[in-house]
Amino acid sequence: MKVHEYQGRELLAEAGLPVPAGSMVQTVDEAEQAVKAILAAGNKLAVIKAQVHAGGRGKAGFVKLVKSAEEARTAAKFMLTNRMVSPQTGPEGLEVKRLLVAAAVDIAKEYYLAITVDRAANTNTMIASAEGGVEIEAVAEKNPDAIKKVRLHPLLGLQPFQARDLAFELGFKGKQVNQAVGVMTNLAKLFLKFDASLAEINPLVVTPPSQKHPDGEVLAIDAKFNFDDNALFRHKRIADLFDPSEENASELRANKFGLSYVALDGNIGCLVNGAGLAMSTMDIIKLHGGEPANFLDVGGSATEEAVTEAFRIILSDTAVKGVLVNIFGGIMQCDIIARAIVAAAHQVGFKVPLVVRLEGTNVEEARKILNEAKREITTMHTATNLTDAAKKVCAAVA
Ligand code: GDP
Ligand code: MN
């Protein structure tokens, strides 16, 4: 589960990391008021940042420094009325519904600091670079040596000597060293405490020297988190941060019924049981020249109600020009699928061609149900095997 930056910054602050204060706003007026308060408190600059579950905001123009109420209105209006397109969003971009307004800081240097699960090494790994900021992907590609990796002990987490070594390696100086060590240590604790799968601060900055901070100050000015969905049951603090408006509506509906659904770009809706069979169904559709509109695994023990919901989700996608049902009944009983097809025909109606291939448990009963429904569901075709089914549905949408 992803959370917004403003929520991530709260988590960082609670864990003792230094984060400039900020607030979340949802309108141009609120943004203006928040910026006015920041300027009135003696700050020369404020920063307005789009809150969406994607990065690359800086380059897309959705992170703006402002020095007046007027600039705040212009920036907030731009972000709330334009979709944000970045390399992380896809061409259609994302609607921006929330903004973060914070006091801006002066930056002497930008670092990258993150913890993620390194699957190849089977450990949580801290990743850091003295070349942080908006170009970290380019650094990883062109200058991989500039990216440091520290493996975290599964029980002890980040150990003090590791944090100190890393701070020196990254070039922190004087009082910065202990501040950086504190940031690393607390981030590692936070990562373990909440079963995160990603915790990223990019950039972690050092401010220019000042009278109060002769060595500058180490501050986190961006926060990106991802949490393990399977562990959310034991972290109410995190589960409460869930923002359904950032999720694909169909995927959310599917989740509620225990269905695995992923929307895709094609026009053939697929209803399949088992992830492996779903993958091969998509493969064979492609082999015969078609394009799947979704991946949908109804699982082994879905009820008639859940399968009917699955049809409702598939048929609500206006791009769908044909539907392929491919079920191998092991634990799943074919008659449940057949009943769900009939229920979906009553409740939603199949206006597009429907190709059904069923095999396995209770298939005889399922065939009987479908035969009786044939007069009613005029767009339905049955198929004898997977290739036959794929050919029929591809021909139907061609
Ligand atoms: P991202 O592009 O989505 O990762 O958004 P970030 O929060 O990382 O902001 C992008 C860039 O904007 C940062 O790398 C900084 O260079 C700049 N930026 C963000 N906040 C501030 C700030 O408070 N002061 C200054 N001077 N620059 C900032
Ligand atoms: Mn960033």
Side-chain angles (χ1 to χ4, degrees):
M1 184 189 105
K2 291 179 179 172
V3 300
H4 288 293
E5 176 195 357
Y6 77 91
Q7 299 168 319
R9 286 164 77 121
E10 279 169 20
L11 295 173
L12 292 180
E14 283 168 27
L17 282 91
V19 185
S23 57
M24 190 274 287
V25 301
Q26 291 176 287
T27 65
V28 175
D29 285 339
E30 286 172 8
E32 181 185 4
Q33 291 314 315
V35 167
K36 273 186 177 164
I38 287 167
L39 298 178
N43 298 286
K44 286 195 301 287
L45 275 179
V47 61
I48 302 186
K49 311 174 77 174
Q51 300 294 289
V52 285
H53 287 179
R57 296 166 302 169
K59 283 199 152 175
F62 283 72
V63 173
K64 289 234 167 81
L65 295 170
V66 297
K67 55 181 186 305
S68 68
E70 203 188 330
E71 285 182 15
R73 291 194 74 85
T74 310
K77 189 164 178 218
F78 169 81
M79 291 181 202
L80 291 170
T81 54
N82 287 283
R83 292 177 80 83
M84 187 192 97
V85 180
S86 87
Q88 296 185 21
T89 64
E92 70 289 349
L94 291 174
E95 186 189 344
V96 180
K97 304 178 201 85
R98 296 161 190 241
L99 304 173
L100 169 71
V101 180
V105 298
D106 290 331
I107 300 175
K109 187 162 174 57
E110 296 189 319
Y111 293 83
Y112 177 90
L113 182 69
I115 304 174
T116 185
V117 182
D118 183 336
R119 287 170 201 283
N122 297 313
T123 57
N124 297 331
T125 299
M126 179 168 273
I127 303 170
S129 176
E131 297 179 29
V134 292
E135 298 278 7
I136 191 68
E137 288 84 1
V139 175
E141 207 169 292
K142 289 189 200 117
N143 189 11
D145 289 347
I147 309 239
K148 316 282 176 210
K149 291 187 182 175
V150 178
R151 312 250 176 261
L152 306 195
H153 188 283
L155 298 176
L156 302 175
L158 181 74
Q159 301 185 64
F161 78 90
Q162 293 180 301
R164 276 197 305 277
D165 278 355
L166 183 57
F168 284 116
E169 246 188 295
L170 291 169
F172 287 102
K173 299 266 174 347
K175 290 212 165 76
Q176 298 166 10
V177 175
N178 276 344
Q179 293 178 48
V181 165
V183 165
M184 292 170 188
T185 308
N186 288 332
L187 188 66
K189 282 185 188 156
L190 179 61
F191 184 93
L192 282 181
K193 176 179 171 191
F194 287 128
D195 293 301
S197 55
L198 173 72
E200 183 188 77
I201 302 173
N202 186 31
L204 177 72
V205 302
V206 175
T207 60
S210 66
Q211 231 163 21
K212 201 169 156 206
H213 302 283
D215 288 342
E217 228 186 328
V218 177
L219 296 173
I221 65 164
D222 191 9
K224 183 169 169 182
F225 282 93
N226 212 335
F227 296 94
D228 183 347
D229 292 340
N230 293 317
L232 284 177
F233 74 95
R234 58 184 189 186
H235 302 301
K236 188 171 182 318
R237 173 75 183 92
I238 304 301
D240 285 348
L241 302 178
F242 182 62
D243 180 0
S245 70
E246 294 292 317
E247 309 291 324
N248 177 301
S250 297
E251 293 183 14
L252 271 187
R253 269 167 70 193
N255 265 340
K256 272 199 196 127
F257 283 84
L259 309 161
S260 307
Y261 173 92
V262 181
L264 300 168
D265 294 335
N267 60 3
I268 298 176
C270 305
L271 186 139
V272 189
N273 69 321
L277 188 58
M279 299 294 278
S280 36
T281 303
M282 288 162 46
D283 277 349
I284 203 159
I285 286 174
K286 284 201 160 238
L287 183 69
H288 292 286
E291 288 291 338
N294 66 275
F295 167 100
L296 197 156
D297 169 14
V298 296
S301 51
T303 59
E304 181 187 323
E305 192 196 7
V307 179
T308 310
E309 180 68 13
F311 278 116
R312 212 176 278 133
I313 292 168
I314 292 176
L315 294 170
S316 69
D317 178 354
T318 51
V320 167
K321 299 291 178 254
V323 175
L324 173 56
V325 174
N326 182 27
I327 298 294
F328 179 76
I331 301 170
M332 171 56 77
Q333 297 165 5
C334 291
D335 60 305
I336 288 188
I337 301 292
R339 280 182 236 281
I341 290 174
V342 175
H346 288 163
Q347 293 173 25
V348 201
F350 286 97
K351 294 177 192 72
V352 296
L354 166 70
V355 178
V356 183
R357 180 258 175 169
L358 299 170
E359 213 54 76
T361 309
N362 292 2
V363 71
E364 290 311 326
E365 192 179 343
R367 293 212 170 106
K368 223 172 85 195
I369 294 168
L370 291 183
N371 261 332
E372 281 164 16
K374 241 180 183 158
R375 251 182 312 127
E376 202 181 339
I377 313 174
T378 51
T379 62
M380 180 167 68
H381 311 269
T382 49
T384 49
N385 59 47
L386 194 38
T387 298
D388 182 38
K391 281 183 177 163
K392 278 182 174 150
V393 76
C394 288
V397 302

PDB file of all heavy atoms in Angstrom, residues 28-53:
ATOM      1  N   VAL A  28      -7.421  25.986  -3.733  1.00  0.00           N
ATOM      2  CA  VAL A  28      -6.525  27.113  -3.992  1.00  0.00           C
ATOM      3  C   VAL A  28      -6.533  28.071  -2.802  1.00  0.00           C
ATOM      4  O   VAL A  28      -5.476  28.553  -2.370  1.00  0.00           O
ATOM      5  CB  VAL A  28      -6.964  27.835  -5.294  1.00  0.00           C
ATOM      6  CG1 VAL A  28      -6.113  29.091  -5.526  1.00  0.00           C
ATOM      7  CG2 VAL A  28      -6.844  26.889  -6.490  1.00  0.00           C
ATOM      8  N   ASP A  29      -7.718  28.321  -2.251  1.00  0.00           N
ATOM      9  CA  ASP A  29      -7.812  29.234  -1.097  1.00  0.00           C
ATOM     10  C   ASP A  29      -7.012  28.716   0.096  1.00  0.00           C
ATOM     11  O   ASP A  29      -6.278  29.469   0.740  1.00  0.00           O
ATOM     12  CB  ASP A  29      -9.283  29.415  -0.665  1.00  0.00           C
ATOM     13  CG  ASP A  29     -10.036  30.316  -1.641  1.00  0.00           C
ATOM     14  OD1 ASP A  29      -9.358  31.088  -2.370  1.00  0.00           O
ATOM     15  OD2 ASP A  29     -11.277  30.237  -1.686  1.00  0.00           O
ATOM     16  N   GLU A  30      -7.179  27.412   0.378  1.00  0.00           N
ATOM     17  CA  GLU A  30      -6.433  26.836   1.509  1.00  0.00           C
ATOM     18  C   GLU A  30      -4.928  26.930   1.266  1.00  0.00           C
ATOM     19  O   GLU A  30      -4.151  27.182   2.191  1.00  0.00           O
ATOM     20  CB  GLU A  30      -6.813  25.360   1.696  1.00  0.00           C
ATOM     21  CG  GLU A  30      -8.192  25.137   2.316  1.00  0.00           C
ATOM     22  CD  GLU A  30      -8.593  23.661   2.310  1.00  0.00           C
ATOM     23  OE1 GLU A  30      -7.754  22.799   1.968  1.00  0.00           O
ATOM     24  OE2 GLU A  30      -9.751  23.386   2.631  1.00  0.00           O
ATOM     25  N   ALA A  31      -4.516  26.718   0.022  1.00  0.00           N
ATOM     26  CA  ALA A  31      -3.082  26.789  -0.302  1.00  0.00           C
ATOM     27  C   ALA A  31      -2.569  28.200  -0.050  1.00  0.00           C
ATOM     28  O   ALA A  31      -1.500  28.393   0.539  1.00  0.00           O
ATOM     29  CB  ALA A  31      -2.851  26.372  -1.754  1.00  0.00           C
ATOM     30  N   GLU A  32      -3.356  29.195  -0.471  1.00  0.00           N
ATOM     31  CA  GLU A  32      -2.956  30.587  -0.272  1.00  0.00           C
ATOM     32  C   GLU A  32      -2.814  30.891   1.224  1.00  0.00           C
ATOM     33  O   GLU A  32      -1.813  31.496   1.645  1.00  0.00           O
ATOM     34  CB  GLU A  32      -4.007  31.510  -0.900  1.00  0.00           C
ATOM     35  CG  GLU A  32      -3.639  32.978  -0.754  1.00  0.00           C
ATOM     36  CD  GLU A  32      -4.729  33.913  -1.275  1.00  0.00           C
ATOM     37  OE1 GLU A  32      -5.798  33.421  -1.685  1.00  0.00           O
ATOM     38  OE2 GLU A  32      -4.500  35.128  -1.267  1.00  0.00           O
ATOM     39  N   GLN A  33      -3.805  30.461   2.007  1.00  0.00           N
ATOM     40  CA  GLN A  33      -3.747  30.716   3.452  1.00  0.00           C
ATOM     41  C   GLN A  33      -2.519  30.066   4.078  1.00  0.00           C
ATOM     42  O   GLN A  33      -1.830  30.680   4.893  1.00  0.00           O
ATOM     43  CB  GLN A  33      -5.017  30.178   4.148  1.00  0.00           C
ATOM     44  CG  GLN A  33      -6.292  30.949   3.823  1.00  0.00           C
ATOM     45  CD  GLN A  33      -6.106  32.465   3.910  1.00  0.00           C
ATOM     46  OE1 GLN A  33      -5.504  32.969   4.856  1.00  0.00           O
ATOM     47  NE2 GLN A  33      -6.584  33.202   2.905  1.00  0.00           N
ATOM     48  N   ALA A  34      -2.244  28.826   3.676  1.00  0.00           N
ATOM     49  CA  ALA A  34      -1.107  28.100   4.253  1.00  0.00           C
ATOM     50  C   ALA A  34       0.205  28.806   3.906  1.00  0.00           C
ATOM     51  O   ALA A  34       1.100  28.935   4.749  1.00  0.00           O
ATOM     52  CB  ALA A  34      -1.097  26.648   3.758  1.00  0.00           C
ATOM     53  N   VAL A  35       0.324  29.279   2.656  1.00  0.00           N
ATOM     54  CA  VAL A  35       1.550  29.971   2.253  1.00  0.00           C
ATOM     55  C   VAL A  35       1.676  31.291   3.010  1.00  0.00           C
ATOM     56  O   VAL A  35       2.761  31.643   3.500  1.00  0.00           O
ATOM     57  CB  VAL A  35       1.573  30.199   0.718  1.00  0.00           C
ATOM     58  CG1 VAL A  35       2.669  31.187   0.337  1.00  0.00           C
ATOM     59  CG2 VAL A  35       1.785  28.873   0.000  1.00  0.00           C
ATOM     60  N   LYS A  36       0.565  32.015   3.157  1.00  0.00           N
ATOM     61  CA  LYS A  36       0.595  33.286   3.909  1.00  0.00           C
ATOM     62  C   LYS A  36       1.130  33.054   5.324  1.00  0.00           C
ATOM     63  O   LYS A  36       1.943  33.824   5.822  1.00  0.00           O
ATOM     64  CB  LYS A  36      -0.817  33.883   3.997  1.00  0.00           C
ATOM     65  CG  LYS A  36      -1.180  34.757   2.804  1.00  0.00           C
ATOM     66  CD  LYS A  36      -2.537  35.402   3.070  1.00  0.00           C
ATOM     67  CE  LYS A  36      -2.951  36.343   1.958  1.00  0.00           C
ATOM     68  NZ  LYS A  36      -4.397  36.647   2.034  1.00  0.00           N
ATOM     69  N   ALA A  37       0.647  31.975   5.970  1.00  0.00           N
ATOM     70  CA  ALA A  37       1.074  31.686   7.343  1.00  0.00           C
ATOM     71  C   ALA A  37       2.572  31.396   7.381  1.00  0.00           C
ATOM     72  O   ALA A  37       3.280  31.837   8.296  1.00  0.00           O
ATOM     73  CB  ALA A  37       0.283  30.500   7.900  1.00  0.00           C
ATOM     74  N   ILE A  38       3.057  30.661   6.371  1.00  0.00           N
ATOM     75  CA  ILE A  38       4.481  30.309   6.339  1.00  0.00           C
ATOM     76  C   ILE A  38       5.340  31.562   6.146  1.00  0.00           C
ATOM     77  O   ILE A  38       6.356  31.758   6.814  1.00  0.00           O
ATOM     78  CB  ILE A  38       4.753  29.269   5.222  1.00  0.00           C
ATOM     79  CG1 ILE A  38       4.186  27.906   5.656  1.00  0.00           C
ATOM     80  CG2 ILE A  38       6.239  29.167   4.914  1.00  0.00           C
ATOM     81  CD1 ILE A  38       4.111  26.894   4.536  1.00  0.00           C
ATOM     82  N   LEU A  39       4.895  32.459   5.251  1.00  0.00           N
ATOM     83  CA  LEU A  39       5.653  33.693   4.993  1.00  0.00           C
ATOM     84  C   LEU A  39       5.597  34.614   6.212  1.00  0.00           C
ATOM     85  O   LEU A  39       6.601  35.233   6.588  1.00  0.00           O
ATOM     86  CB  LEU A  39       5.106  34.410   3.749  1.00  0.00           C
ATOM     87  CG  LEU A  39       5.208  33.616   2.430  1.00  0.00           C
ATOM     88  CD1 LEU A  39       4.582  34.396   1.274  1.00  0.00           C
ATOM     89  CD2 LEU A  39       6.653  33.252   2.099  1.00  0.00           C
ATOM     90  N   ALA A  40       4.411  34.655   6.861  1.00  0.00           N
ATOM     91  CA  ALA A  40       4.248  35.509   8.038  1.00  0.00           C
ATOM     92  C   ALA A  40       5.142  35.048   9.182  1.00  0.00           C
ATOM     93  O   ALA A  40       5.539  35.839  10.041  1.00  0.00           O
ATOM     94  CB  ALA A  40       2.788  35.520   8.486  1.00  0.00           C
ATOM     95  N   ALA A  41       5.470  33.751   9.202  1.00  0.00           N
ATOM     96  CA  ALA A  41       6.320  33.210  10.275  1.00  0.00           C
ATOM     97  C   ALA A  41       7.794  33.519  10.034  1.00  0.00           C
ATOM     98  O   ALA A  41       8.654  33.086  10.797  1.00  0.00           O
ATOM     99  CB  ALA A  41       6.102  31.710  10.405  1.00  0.00           C
ATOM    100  N   GLY A  42       8.087  34.256   8.953  1.00  0.00           N
ATOM    101  CA  GLY A  42       9.455  34.686   8.728  1.00  0.00           C
ATOM    102  C   GLY A  42      10.211  33.901   7.664  1.00  0.00           C
ATOM    103  O   GLY A  42      11.403  34.118   7.453  1.00  0.00           O
ATOM    104  N   ASN A  43       9.530  32.973   6.982  1.00  0.00           N
ATOM    105  CA  ASN A  43      10.194  32.240   5.893  1.00  0.00           C
ATOM    106  C   ASN A  43      10.121  33.057   4.609  1.00  0.00           C
ATOM    107  O   ASN A  43       9.105  33.695   4.328  1.00  0.00           O
ATOM    108  CB  ASN A  43       9.497  30.898   5.662  1.00  0.00           C
ATOM    109  CG  ASN A  43       9.571  30.001   6.884  1.00  0.00           C
ATOM    110  OD1 ASN A  43      10.605  29.441   7.195  1.00  0.00           O
ATOM    111  ND2 ASN A  43       8.457  29.896   7.606  1.00  0.00           N
ATOM    112  N   LYS A  44      11.200  33.018   3.820  1.00  0.00           N
ATOM    113  CA  LYS A  44      11.208  33.780   2.564  1.00  0.00           C
ATOM    114  C   LYS A  44      10.466  33.023   1.463  1.00  0.00           C
ATOM    115  O   LYS A  44       9.931  33.607   0.534  1.00  0.00           O
ATOM    116  CB  LYS A  44      12.652  34.028   2.111  1.00  0.00           C
ATOM    117  CG  LYS A  44      13.358  35.091   2.954  1.00  0.00           C
ATOM    118  CD  LYS A  44      14.630  35.600   2.302  1.00  0.00           C
ATOM    119  CE  LYS A  44      15.668  34.530   2.017  1.00  0.00           C
ATOM    120  NZ  LYS A  44      16.379  33.989   3.183  1.00  0.00           N
ATOM    121  N   LEU A  45      10.467  31.698   1.560  1.00  0.00           N
ATOM    122  CA  LEU A  45       9.914  30.862   0.495  1.00  0.00           C
ATOM    123  C   LEU A  45       9.045  29.753   1.081  1.00  0.00           C
ATOM    124  O   LEU A  45       9.331  29.248   2.168  1.00  0.00           O
ATOM    125  CB  LEU A  45      11.053  30.168  -0.273  1.00  0.00           C
ATOM    126  CG  LEU A  45      11.771  30.878  -1.409  1.00  0.00           C
ATOM    127  CD1 LEU A  45      12.862  29.956  -1.952  1.00  0.00           C
ATOM    128  CD2 LEU A  45      10.803  31.265  -2.520  1.00  0.00           C
ATOM    129  N   ALA A  46       8.026  29.360   0.309  1.00  0.00           N
ATOM    130  CA  ALA A  46       7.246  28.160   0.652  1.00  0.00           C
ATOM    131  C   ALA A  46       7.299  27.239  -0.560  1.00  0.00           C
ATOM    132  O   ALA A  46       7.591  27.681  -1.675  1.00  0.00           O
ATOM    133  CB  ALA A  46       5.809  28.533   0.989  1.00  0.00           C
ATOM    134  N   VAL A  47       7.019  25.963  -0.334  1.00  0.00           N
ATOM    135  CA  VAL A  47       6.997  25.030  -1.451  1.00  0.00           C
ATOM    136  C   VAL A  47       5.617  24.382  -1.511  1.00  0.00           C
ATOM    137  O   VAL A  47       5.030  24.046  -0.470  1.00  0.00           O
ATOM    138  CB  VAL A  47       8.149  23.990  -1.355  1.00  0.00           C
ATOM    139  CG1 VAL A  47       8.043  23.144  -0.093  1.00  0.00           C
ATOM    140  CG2 VAL A  47       8.198  23.101  -2.584  1.00  0.00           C
ATOM    141  N   ILE A  48       5.077  24.267  -2.745  1.00  0.00           N
ATOM    142  CA  ILE A  48       3.783  23.613  -2.954  1.00  0.00           C
ATOM    143  C   ILE A  48       4.041  22.351  -3.775  1.00  0.00           C
ATOM    144  O   ILE A  48       4.709  22.400  -4.813  1.00  0.00           O
ATOM    145  CB  ILE A  48       2.800  24.541  -3.693  1.00  0.00           C
ATOM    146  CG1 ILE A  48       2.621  25.832  -2.887  1.00  0.00           C
ATOM    147  CG2 ILE A  48       1.463  23.848  -3.915  1.00  0.00           C
ATOM    148  CD1 ILE A  48       1.559  26.762  -3.451  1.00  0.00           C
ATOM    149  N   LYS A  49       3.527  21.228  -3.304  1.00  0.00           N
ATOM    150  CA  LYS A  49       3.830  19.955  -3.951  1.00  0.00           C
ATOM    151  C   LYS A  49       2.570  19.127  -4.171  1.00  0.00           C
ATOM    152  O   LYS A  49       1.794  18.913  -3.236  1.00  0.00           O
ATOM    153  CB  LYS A  49       4.814  19.149  -3.084  1.00  0.00           C
ATOM    154  CG  LYS A  49       6.022  19.969  -2.641  1.00  0.00           C
ATOM    155  CD  LYS A  49       6.899  19.200  -1.665  1.00  0.00           C
ATOM    156  CE  LYS A  49       7.750  18.170  -2.383  1.00  0.00           C
ATOM    157  NZ  LYS A  49       8.707  17.533  -1.457  1.00  0.00           N
ATOM    158  N   ALA A  50       2.365  18.655  -5.384  1.00  0.00           N
ATOM    159  CA  ALA A  50       1.224  17.792  -5.690  1.00  0.00           C
ATOM    160  C   ALA A  50       1.359  16.497  -4.901  1.00  0.00           C
ATOM    161  O   ALA A  50       2.450  15.930  -4.804  1.00  0.00           O
ATOM    162  CB  ALA A  50       1.186  17.489  -7.182  1.00  0.00           C
ATOM    163  N   GLN A  51       0.234  16.023  -4.329  1.00  0.00           N
ATOM    164  CA  GLN A  51       0.234  14.765  -3.587  1.00  0.00           C
ATOM    165  C   GLN A  51      -0.471  13.702  -4.412  1.00  0.00           C
ATOM    166  O   GLN A  51      -1.703  13.660  -4.471  1.00  0.00           O
ATOM    167  CB  GLN A  51      -0.448  14.965  -2.230  1.00  0.00           C
ATOM    168  CG  GLN A  51       0.251  16.013  -1.368  1.00  0.00           C
ATOM    169  CD  GLN A  51       1.646  15.582  -0.958  1.00  0.00           C
ATOM    170  OE1 GLN A  51       1.825  14.689  -0.137  1.00  0.00           O
ATOM    171  NE2 GLN A  51       2.665  16.209  -1.554  1.00  0.00           N
ATOM    172  N   VAL A  52       0.323  12.913  -5.092  1.00  0.00           N
ATOM    173  CA  VAL A  52      -0.189  11.783  -5.887  1.00  0.00           C
ATOM    174  C   VAL A  52       0.741  10.602  -5.629  1.00  0.00           C
ATOM    175  O   VAL A  52       1.855  10.796  -5.173  1.00  0.00           O
ATOM    176  CB  VAL A  52      -0.214  12.094  -7.401  1.00  0.00           C
ATOM    177  CG1 VAL A  52      -1.366  13.023  -7.741  1.00  0.00           C
ATOM    178  CG2 VAL A  52       1.106  12.680  -7.869  1.00  0.00           C
ATOM    179  N   HIS A  53       0.261   9.400  -5.937  1.00  0.00           N
ATOM    180  CA  HIS A  53       1.098   8.218  -5.679  1.00  0.00           C
ATOM    181  C   HIS A  53       2.066   7.977  -6.831  1.00  0.00           C
ATOM    182  O   HIS A  53       2.117   6.903  -7.412  1.00  0.00           O
ATOM    183  CB  HIS A  53       0.211   6.991  -5.454  1.00  0.00           C
ATOM    184  CG  HIS A  53      -0.500   7.008  -4.135  1.00  0.00           C
ATOM    185  ND1 HIS A  53      -1.355   6.030  -3.730  1.00  0.00           N
ATOM    186  CD2 HIS A  53      -0.450   7.900  -3.109  1.00  0.00           C
ATOM    187  CE1 HIS A  53      -1.823   6.322  -2.522  1.00  0.00           C
ATOM    188  NE2 HIS A  53      -1.286   7.456  -2.137  1.00  0.00           N
TER     189      HIS A  53
END
